[in-house]
Amino acid sequence: FVFSSGGGPSPAPANGLLGADYTVANGRWRFAKVYAGENWNPDLRAPLTQPGVNVRAGEYLLAVNGRDVTAGENVHHAFEGLAGKQTVLRVGPNPNGDGARDVTVVPVRNDLMLRHLDWVDGNRKTVERLSGGKLAYIYVPNTANQGYTRFNRYFFAQQDKQGAVVDERFNGGGNIADYMIEY
């Protein structure tokens, strides 16, 4: 905790996340995977895929707010206290900085939903591939509001399929399962 001007404790600034996986290469941190998210949805905003940013897997993270970042330190230390704050990244295709560019991002406090969305999309692609395009994939996180919304979004967009895989793993419960079963 830090103390605010009012004298009482306030939460310490949150560490920022970019919605990415990293690997070490050539003494630098390299983006191994960049989670796309849904940038039109404020809850699933992905910092690295915002318009004009377009960081891709394989590029190197060279600096954060002008400070050089190398594999000699934990990559997350560079983002301490930066969640929700405009942050300038220097990224590029080469570890020595040749061809690098600066991009401004706003790191998020939590990238769990970006990772979850990627998991769902991976499942959808697997069902598509294994069924030869004949089956829909619908992930239902619960049988309440979010589940209802997701069901409608995925079911009606794929209603031309011959069948559907309805995935309820990790389902949080609810009370509108009869609506989904009816369809």
Side-chain angles (χ1 to χ4, degrees), residues 11-181:
N15 293 338
L17 296 170
L18 298 177
D21 294 336
Y22 306 90
T23 189
V24 173
N26 302 307
R28 295 281 189 177
W29 288 102
R30 192 173 196 183
F31 295 102
K33 181 170 186 160
V34 174
Y35 293 90
E38 295 175 340
N39 289 328
W40 53 267
N41 181 342
D43 295 329
L44 291 170
R45 185 181 55 78
L48 298 176
T49 62
Q50 291 291 306
V53 176
N54 302 319
V55 171
R56 293 172 300 283
E59 291 189 291
Y60 290 89
L61 174 63
L62 304 168
V64 176
N65 286 336
R67 188 174 71 90
D68 194 50
V69 176
T70 67
E73 70 173 303
N74 184 321
V75 70
H76 298 292
H77 289 168
F79 297 96
E80 288 179 0
L82 295 180
K85 297 179 182 177
Q86 283 194 343
T87 303
V88 178
L89 306 180
R90 187 156 205 48
V91 298
N94 300 299
N96 65 3
D98 288 347
R101 68 191 189 285
D102 289 340
V103 296
T104 301
V105 300
V106 178
V108 295
R109 289 180 185 270
N110 187 328
D111 65 2
L112 184 61
M113 289 306 295
L114 296 175
R115 294 170 184 279
H116 175 76
L117 181 64
D118 183 73
W119 176 77
V120 170
D121 194 47
N123 291 338
R124 183 191 56 75
K125 288 175 182 174
T126 297
V127 169
E128 175 83 14
R129 181 177 46 81
L130 293 176
S131 73
K134 295 177 183 172
L135 297 177
Y137 173 81
I138 303 163
Y139 178 70
V140 182
N142 58 41
T143 52
N145 289 340
Q146 187 182 26
Y148 179 80
T149 300
R150 291 259 191 110
F151 178 83
N152 285 335
R153 177 178 174 193
Y154 290 112
F155 177 80
F156 290 109
Q158 302 176 87
Q159 63 184 344
D160 60 325
K161 306 283 185 179
Q162 294 176 15
V165 173
V166 180
D167 187 349
E168 289 199 35
R169 289 177 288 174
F170 319 113
N171 186 298
N175 60 5
I176 57 171
D178 57 334
Y179 168 82
M180 296 173 199
I181 292 168

